[in-house]
Amino acid sequence: MIWFHVIIIHAPCGCIYITTLPLNTSFPLSQLPVSLECYTVPPEDNLALLQLYFRTLATGALRPHWCPVLYAVAVAHVNSFIFSQDPQSSDEVKAARRSMLQKTWLLADEGLRQHLLHYKLPNSTLPEGFELYSQLPPLRQHYLQRLTSTVLQNGVSET
């Protein structure tokens, strides 16, 4: 039996694309029916889905060589979420963002930590499916430093 990921994309133009990708297969990024950007824009705002993306990445249930498309999509959305600075966010979303960023900073998997913190933009010509910043932009660096100093003083939050 073959299992498939079903990915539904809501494009900014209002179009809806439905794509299926085989589970646990290395579907090449170059063979996507639509550009990789269609999977990453607009940023995901469903907190439950963002937490699921993070959990599958952090536990190793999703790896880049198993399903590069879903890995690239998950990294893009988690990165966008942890560094978003929407002042209109609810307290629950702010707490989840802070917790996810703290847990990202503490990840033992240095490669995943690098991907989640340094993600820049999708690029299906690269093996990972995205470009990385060589150094964090100053705003992100400042935000991470503020957060990590709080973690060192108080410990990781449980949210």
Side-chain angles (χ1 to χ4, degrees):
M1 178 182 297
I2 298 176
W3 292 92
F4 288 90
H5 294 290
V6 176
I7 301 175
I8 301 172
I9 307 156
H10 299 273
C13 66
C15 301
I16 297 176
Y17 301 98
I18 299 176
T19 303
T20 58
L21 301 174
L23 182 63
N24 287 336
T25 60
S26 187
F27 188 85
L29 293 162
S30 60
Q31 293 182 10
L32 286 174
V34 294
S35 85
L36 191 55
E37 289 80 7
C38 289
Y39 295 90
T40 60
V41 176
E44 184 57 60
D45 61 359
N46 180 307
L47 186 55
L49 183 54
L50 287 160
Q51 290 170 327
L52 182 60
Y53 279 151
F54 183 76
R55 188 170 41 253
T56 60
L57 289 165
T59 62
L62 177 58
R63 298 190 179 266
H65 58 279
W66 290 342
C67 190
V69 175
L70 193 53
Y71 182 84
V73 169
V75 167
H77 286 302
V78 169
N79 172 274
S80 175
F81 177 69
I82 62 177
F83 286 113
S84 64
Q85 298 180 19
D86 181 4
Q88 305 279 333
S89 297
S90 70
D91 289 342
E92 176 189 18
V93 169
K94 288 177 185 175
R97 181 181 302 125
R98 191 171 40 255
S99 173
M100 203 177 290
L101 184 54
Q102 289 171 346
K103 290 173 184 173
T104 298
W105 182 65
L106 296 170
L107 281 170
D109 182 339
E110 291 181 31
L112 177 58
R113 183 178 345 122
Q114 177 82 1
H115 289 169
L116 290 174
L117 294 176
H118 291 258
Y119 174 89
K120 184 176 183 180
L121 54 97
N123 184 338
S124 58
T125 64
L126 296 174
E128 303 84 13
F130 48 85
E131 295 177 23
L132 296 171
Y133 288 107
S134 57
Q135 295 182 0
L136 282 177
L139 263 161
R140 289 183 179 190
Q141 183 66 39
H142 178 70
Y143 182 60
L144 186 59
Q145 283 174 338
R146 262 193 357 228
L147 182 74
T148 55
S149 66
T150 303
V151 170
L152 293 174
Q153 292 171 2
N154 305 327
V156 178
S157 68
E158 292 300 314
T159 9

